[in-house]
Amino acid sequence: MITATQIRDLEFGVNSFGDVATDGGRPQSDEEALLLLVDEAQLAESVGLDSFSVGEHYREGMVDSATPVILAGIAQATSTVRLGTSVTVLSTQDPVRLYQQFATVDGLSRGRTQLVLGRASAIESFSLFGYDIEEYEQIFEEKLDLFLRLMREDRVTWSGRYRPPLDDVRLHPRMPEGGIPTWIGVGGSPDSVVRAARHGLPLMMAVIAGRPERFAGHAELYLRALARFERQELPIGQHSIGFIADSDEEAKNTYWKYWRPVVAALNEERGFYPPTAERYETEVSTGALYVGSPETVSQKIASIVRANHLSRFDLKYDVRHLPREARAHSIRLFGERVVPRVRELLHENPGDWRLTGRTPAEIVKGGRAVHA
């Protein structure tokens, strides 16, 4: 059963994709949207949230293309909240430059920086930076290998296909020994789950549609893989989308207005599900949208913490043109009312949270074999 210490150590954060808000009905300028992120990070810190993360996108209506620059600015306006990425598209980054950028942010934030590395579901950066989407998998694996070596080794000699070789290189500024906390983000691929375990990295599951409980199998695959590779047990996190208001009705009605056009665009561009009222209701009631009053969202989060063996839950609070006042109120309710209530619910009903009491080696017994 879950212990009081484990409930206390459960982490909660908020994520932004740099979606442009409205202010008095007027869409903000890019400058205003960037400054709003600083304000919202300060708010997240003030209500006791553990982390504030920013994504990486290259499209109109989002201002998060230069994530480390944003985080460096936020670092100067905050003092305790951890600063990270909801996703860094490693495939189209230079691992050397990425190391230097986040070593810099980590120094400016006095050791508060973390990363989620992913292959990208939005692929605009591939054509923008001249990468072949057909080599999606190979590029990520090679760059991940180099980035981890740069973090974990003092000097690196390396060669590969996608950047010039390195000969006994020592980068500056330096990250702390072993690097900064780095997670692998997955959107449903079992291969990505196993990759995280093989490299000894925590797992961040992006659950944005359908029943979130279906990712329980990914969590258990990850734990079996950790045992297969003789790794210690590592944290499992979940990134999900949501909006909190004073009542269920207010939350659902407000979010529907801004969610529908965004999903309609995704449906046209990427074949995402159509944003019908029926689908919206399903996603809110039993699916991946954490939309509702503080009590409703708390109950749903507590349930998924148990089901998916979570150590961390991150809520993406912004959606394009959602009013800035509504965004701020959602963050405040999340920190002040939802997080304490989730801990209370877990105390009342611990369940089989994180498979407590079972080591990865014990979990693998009776499970399928896991292969590299």
Side-chain angles (χ1 to χ4, degrees):
M1 302 293 283
I2 181 174
T3 67
T5 299
Q6 289 166 331
I7 296 171
R8 182 199 65 203
D9 292 343
L10 181 63
E11 295 185 8
F12 294 91
V14 286
N15 289 343
S16 170
F17 283 2
D19 288 285
V20 171
T22 55
D23 190 354
R26 174 189 59 85
Q28 291 189 317
S29 67
D30 288 351
E31 177 184 337
E32 290 171 322
L34 288 166
L35 292 172
L36 180 61
L37 290 176
V38 178
D39 292 342
E40 290 171 341
Q42 291 177 307
L43 175 59
E45 180 174 87
S46 73
V47 297
L49 293 171
D50 297 297
S51 61
F52 185 89
S53 302
V54 180
E56 180 191 341
H57 297 84
Y58 300 89
R59 55 172 52 202
E60 186 177 356
M62 295 179 173
V63 296
D64 61 341
S65 59
T67 313
V69 180
I70 296 171
L71 295 177
I74 292 172
Q76 302 311 294
T78 58
S79 58
T80 59
V81 69
R82 297 187 187 96
L83 305 177
T85 63
S86 48
V87 65
T88 291
V89 186
L90 179 60
S91 303
T92 54
Q93 296 274 1
D94 178 353
V96 172
R97 196 67 180 131
L98 190 69
Y99 176 98
Q100 293 167 328
Q101 289 170 338
F102 279 89
T104 301
V105 176
D106 196 57
L108 291 170
S109 67
R110 294 180 172 85
R112 291 185 282 136
T113 308
Q114 55 190 350
L115 275 167
V116 175
L117 301 177
R119 296 181 300 170
S121 58
I123 58 174
E124 293 89 352
S125 61
F126 280 80
S127 59
L128 186 62
F129 297 115
Y131 288 93
D132 186 352
I133 192 64
E134 296 298 323
E135 298 180 299
Y136 184 85
E137 183 74 22
Q138 302 94 310
I139 294 172
F140 184 80
E141 186 61 46
E142 179 179 294
K143 292 193 173 188
L144 178 62
D145 173 70
L146 174 55
F147 186 73
L148 293 179
R149 287 193 58 189
L150 292 169
M151 286 209 304
R152 293 169 174 175
E153 301 175 19
D154 188 58
R155 310 189 74 91
V156 173
T157 297
W158 176 93
S159 64
R161 292 178 56 196
Y162 301 106
R163 62 149 290 127
L166 303 176
D167 183 15
D168 194 32
V169 167
R170 189 174 194 268
L171 299 181
H172 300 280
R174 301 296 300 166
M175 287 184 181
E177 185 176 355
I180 63 176
T182 300
W183 302 61
I184 291 291
V186 304
S189 166
D191 289 342
S192 296
V193 172
V194 174
R195 177 188 287 115
R198 185 173 76 248
H199 287 288
L201 298 173
L203 182 70
M204 178 61 72
M205 303 184 296
V207 184
I208 60 172
R211 292 183 63 86
E213 292 83 0
R214 75 190 193 282
F215 277 75
H218 287 69
E220 297 207 19
L221 172 63
Y222 176 66
L223 294 172
R224 291 197 299 272
L226 288 174
R228 165 68 175 79
F229 297 117
E230 299 182 347
R231 302 283 190 182
Q232 66 179 4
E233 188 169 346
L234 293 168
I236 299 171
Q238 179 173 315
H239 155 97
S240 288
I241 300 167
F243 174 70
I244 307 161
D246 293 322
S247 69
D248 288 340
E249 182 179 14
E250 179 187 358
K252 289 195 292 185
N253 290 344
T254 299
Y255 201 68
W256 164 255
K257 178 180 177 181
Y258 300 99
W259 171 90
R260 187 182 59 79
V262 169
V263 177
L266 291 173
N267 172 256
E268 183 175 335
E269 295 170 13
R270 293 161 49 187
F272 211 62
Y273 62 77
T276 64
E278 293 77 15
R279 180 59 187 259
Y280 178 67
E281 184 61 38
T282 298
E283 290 292 338
V284 169
S285 59
T286 60
L289 292 181
Y290 290 76
V291 173
S293 66
E295 180 63 22
T296 295
V297 173
S298 298
Q299 293 281 350
K300 193 168 183 177
I301 292 175
S303 176
I304 206 59
V305 165
R306 300 186 199 101
N308 286 355
H309 320 305
L310 302 181
S311 301
R312 174 179 168 184
F313 182 91
D314 284 1
L315 183 74
K316 181 185 181 294
Y317 66 90
D318 59 353
V319 66
R320 195 172 311 167
H321 295 162
L322 182 67
R324 61 175 297 165
E325 296 84 359
R327 288 165 52 140
H329 193 52
S330 185
I331 293 170
R332 187 174 297 281
L333 290 174
F334 186 51
E336 293 181 343
R337 296 183 57 185
V338 172
V339 171
R341 180 59 176 149
V342 172
R343 297 191 198 280
E344 184 179 70
L345 290 167
L346 292 172
H347 275 293
E348 294 171 357
N349 179 16
D352 194 23
W353 185 75
R354 289 183 60 196
L355 304 183
T356 303
R358 298 167 65 195
T359 67
E362 291 169 331
I363 291 165
V364 79
K365 292 178 181 177
R368 297 179 301 163
V370 177
H371 303 285

